[in-house]
Amino acid sequence: SYAGDTEAGAAQLQQAVDEAERLATVEPDSASFQEDIPIYATPLARLRRLQGEPEAAAKLAERSLAVTEGLLSLSPDHPGWLRQRAESRVEKALQLPAAAADARALLASALAVLEPQLQGNTQDRATLISTIGAQLAMAALEAPPAAGERLRRALASCDAQTGSPLDPPPATP
């Protein structure tokens, strides 16, 4: 278990990125191998940013975006790749200074994909988590009235989730 051991977790993610890159090199026409790169690179970029390694985080986010853009050139409406690009853009935005107009633009483009995807499938938890993360990041850049409205919408999205058989039982008071 890697609980609490962020460096061991980062090492495992780096191995996954390296293996995805290797497989994509061996079979460059395999979209399946290509799509694995951003699946691992984006969370590793997030971890490296939070660990105070901005150069490593930026490189991983850029690689994730580049691969996802390449995949979308093959299938522009692929919902999974659109969501992955949105997640990569959120990470890239979080790497920028809060006052940067580019951060706001990246978040807006991510939300333009994520919010309709969530409305189309309100029970998709992966999309919910991605959307809420983008909404929270955007709210941090907005004036209080707009941020408050965005946060209320985010909470409503969470409240709309129904239980799953895999959910833990509710805590008893």
Side-chain angles (χ1 to χ4, degrees), residues 1 5 19 25 40 42-44 46-47 79 81 84 92 95 99 102 123 131 136-137 143-144 152-153 160 163 166 173:
S1 169
D5 188 350
E19 182 64 9
T25 301
Y40 298 116
T42 300
L44 183 56
R46 183 178 308 113
L47 182 56
W81 297 343
Q84 182 59 56
K92 184 71 179 161
Q95 293 175 8
D102 289 348
Q123 299 305 306
T131 305
L136 293 173
R152 281 187 285 284
R153 285 195 324 265
L166 300 176

Side-chain angles (χ1 to χ4, degrees), residues 64-83:
S64 181
L65 279 169
V67 170
T68 306
E69 291 293 346
L71 289 167
L72 285 166
S73 72
L74 303 173
S75 181
D77 297 324
H78 190 289
W81 297 343
L82 287 167
R83 187 180 79 220

